[in-house]
Amino acid sequence: MSLPHAILTALLEKPSSGLELTRRFDRSIGYFWSATHQQIYRELGKLEADGLIRALPTQQPARGQKKSYEVLPAGRAELARWTAASQDPKPHRDTLLLRLRAAAVVGTAGLEADLRRHLELHERQLAEYREIEKRDFPPGRDGTEDRLRHLVLRAGIDLETFWTQWLRRAVADVAELPGPERSHPA
Amino acid sequence: MSLPHAILTALLEKPSSGLELTRRFDRSIGYFWSATHQQIYRELGKLEADGLIRALPTQQPARGQKKSYEVLPAGRAELARWTAASQDPKPHRDTLLLRLRAAAVVGTAGLEADLRRHLELHERQLAEYREIEKRDFPPGRDGTEDRLRHLVLRAGIDLETFWTQWLRRAVADVAELPGPERSHPA
DNA sequence: ACGGTTTATGCAACTAGTTGCACAAGGTGA
DNA sequence: TCACCTTGTGCAACTAGTTGCATAAACCGT
């Protein structure tokens, strides 16, 4: 139940239209809370109906016309409430770890290539995060908002660092397992 | 679309009833692929209908009677196919990071306590993983299956290590932000 | 001025996961 | 012996997220 709050946060940072939000989700918030444009439009409709945001006045609010939203006081209050509330961590689900566990039973045939691919993806993501850090968080500036946003970015960097290291080890381990094409039949 | 494969893996490790599976999900596979008993029963039904598993012969298959399942060759084949297939990583969603980002806009009031709580939860999980490592992976034994399972466990350990470290920093950072009860109004 | 691409909004149907409850059998103590 | 608790199985309804497609305006070359 966090998508509405992600949208409220994004809109407080800057009032936007559905498509602008979609783009910003792809670039920054989406790194830890992804959403498609359909989800976003649907949620904008709900938030407006609930009186948490409103469409900025415009000439004709027709289809194909940009429609920007801003957060109302009730929306800010709801976001503050949600941020402060205690929440249990949702269980993670990780397909790759599951596949490795399955490979322990049915064999590792074909797995190594995909591990390498994942390694590359994570390396790319890590590089992107470091780029952002260099650009947006040069040493020195540390207002409150910057501090918190930097903290979030650092979580991303450290997570990707973990994955690249772990995947390198996984690739190496899987590569040196007995025999090519091993597949552990019944 | 991984729950059926998680179940196939678990059943290959050891044929089980629905409830036994539920318990094993809580203890081990569930660390990276959680599932409730309702999900498991539903999926067992589907897997049986699809001919990937079958119920072990028993006396009366009535309600309240244990019913164990084993994997059929078609099930093993499907699991092997899935394990080897290339898959894109699903986007993560992390509420805590989102809340921190929201806090940068609406203020950190009330957040610190929950960060501490999360820190404790991750410390506990980390301790549990280390316990399992000591128990199940003493130095020396390293068959193929052990190697892979140990690799998965190590991912869990490293992930929890990351979280505990990051959360410690987050708690410290949030604690020293300007003023108690800061809340950054419009 | 017309046909194609890009920008922008949105609906509908589907899949996956969660929550809440119902039902049956077997054991246990009063 | 009967009320209650535990174990085990399961349905139904709901919530969240995904996929595929429809629609419309604007911009752009010919």
Side-chain angles (χ1 to χ4, degrees), chain B residues 1-179:
Chain B
M1 252 280 297
S2 312
L3 178 58
H5 303 99
I7 291 178
L8 287 172
T9 304
L11 285 181
L12 278 170
E13 287 170 359
K14 180 174 179 324
S16 310
S17 70
L19 196 67
E20 282 163 355
L21 277 178
T22 304
R23 300 238 163 92
R24 289 169 56 202
F25 266 71
D26 287 345
R27 276 188 286 104
S28 72
I29 292 196
Y31 291 142
F32 48 90
W33 203 275
S34 69
T36 62
H37 69 109
Q38 291 86 345
Q39 276 178 281
I40 288 170
Y41 283 119
R42 208 189 327 174
E43 205 60 48
L44 282 171
K46 279 190 213 161
L47 287 168
E48 190 179 22
D50 292 351
L52 301 186
I53 63 175
R54 67 161 185 178
L56 287 175
T58 174
Q59 38 283 28
Q60 59 263 50
R63 256 191 164 203
Q65 288 298 316
K66 240 188 213 179
K67 196 161 68 171
S68 280
Y69 293 90
E70 68 175 358
V71 178
L72 294 172
R76 174 180 283 270
E78 165 56 24
L79 185 61
R81 188 203 58 71
W82 177 81
T83 304
S86 163
Q87 282 178 236
D88 285 326
K90 290 267 163 227
H92 355 77
R93 296 211 161 84
D94 191 299
T95 313
L96 205 54
L97 294 178
L98 184 57
R99 281 164 75 200
L100 227 64
R101 177 105 177 210
V105 184
V106 298
T108 57
L111 191 60
E112 196 188 330
D114 208 38
L115 288 176
R116 283 187 202 283
R117 200 172 61 90
H118 275 77
L119 175 54
E120 252 182 67
L121 291 172
H122 284 289
E123 277 170 342
R124 223 192 307 280
Q125 187 66 59
L126 178 54
E128 192 175 334
Y129 284 159
R130 289 215 224 266
E131 213 34 62
I132 294 174
E133 188 178 38
K134 204 189 298 175
R135 170 162 46 83
D136 293 355
F137 302 96
R141 312 172 45 238
D142 55 342
T144 296
E145 298 187 20
D146 286 331
R147 285 285 278 275
L148 289 171
R149 277 199 266 266
H150 196 176
L151 195 56
V152 172
L153 179 59
R154 217 141 35 196
I157 291 174
D158 291 353
L159 267 173
E160 295 301 331
T161 301
F162 151 72
W163 279 113
T164 53
Q165 285 171 357
W166 181 83
L167 277 164
R168 265 192 270 275
R169 164 166 231 156
V171 167
D173 271 24
V174 166
E176 75 174 34
L177 284 178

Side-chain angles (χ1 to χ4, degrees), chain A residues 62-80:
Chain A
R63 253 186 169 211
Q65 289 297 315
K66 238 188 212 178
K67 197 162 68 169
S68 280
Y69 293 90
E70 67 174 359
V71 178
L72 295 171
R76 174 180 284 271
E78 165 55 24
L79 184 61

Side-chain angles (χ1 to χ4, degrees), chain A residues 93-114:
Chain A
R93 297 211 161 85
D94 193 300
T95 315
L96 203 55
L97 294 177
L98 184 57
R99 281 164 74 199
L100 227 65
R101 176 105 176 210
V105 184
V106 297
T108 57
L111 191 60
E112 196 188 331
D114 209 37

Side-chain angles (χ1 to χ4, degrees), chain A:
Chain A
M1 249 279 299
S2 310
L3 178 57
H5 303 100
I7 291 178
L8 287 171
T9 304
L11 285 181
L12 279 171
E13 288 171 358
K14 180 174 180 323
S16 310
S17 71
L19 196 66
E20 282 164 355
L21 277 178
T22 304
R23 299 237 165 93
R24 289 169 56 201
F25 266 72
D26 287 344
R27 275 189 285 106
S28 70
I29 292 195
Y31 292 142
F32 47 90
W33 203 276
S34 68
T36 62
H37 69 107
Q38 291 87 344
Q39 275 179 283
I40 288 171
Y41 283 118
R42 209 190 325 175
E43 204 61 47
L44 283 172
K46 278 190 212 160
L47 288 169
E48 191 179 22
D50 292 351
L52 302 186
I53 63 175
R54 66 161 184 178
L56 287 175
T58 174
Q59 38 282 28
Q60 59 264 48
R63 253 186 169 211
Q65 289 297 315
K66 238 188 212 178
K67 197 162 68 169
S68 280
Y69 293 90
E70 67 174 359
V71 178
L72 295 171
R76 174 180 284 271
E78 165 55 24
L79 184 61
R81 188 204 59 71
W82 177 81
T83 305
S86 164
Q87 283 178 235
D88 285 326
K90 290 267 163 227
H92 354 74
R93 297 211 161 85
D94 193 300
T95 315
L96 203 55
L97 294 177
L98 184 57
R99 281 164 74 199
L100 227 65
R101 176 105 176 210
V105 184
V106 297
T108 57
L111 191 60
E112 196 188 331
D114 209 37
L115 288 176
R116 283 187 202 281
R117 200 171 61 89
H118 275 76
L119 175 55
E120 252 182 67
L121 291 173
H122 284 289
E123 277 170 344
R124 223 192 307 281
Q125 186 67 58
L126 178 55
E128 191 176 335
Y129 284 158
R130 289 214 224 266
E131 214 32 65
I132 294 174
E133 188 178 38
K134 206 189 298 177
R135 170 161 47 81
D136 293 354
F137 302 96
R141 310 170 50 236
D142 55 342
T144 297
E145 298 186 23
D146 285 331
R147 284 284 279 276
L148 289 171
R149 277 200 267 265
H150 196 176
L151 196 56
V152 172
L153 179 59
R154 216 141 35 195
I157 290 174
D158 291 352
L159 267 172
E160 294 301 331
T161 301
F162 150 73
W163 278 113
T164 53
Q165 285 171 357
W166 181 83
L167 277 164
R168 265 190 271 274
R169 165 166 230 154
V171 167
D173 271 23
V174 166
E176 76 175 32
L177 283 179
E181 204 54 25
R182 72 166 255 105
S183 87
H184 199 111

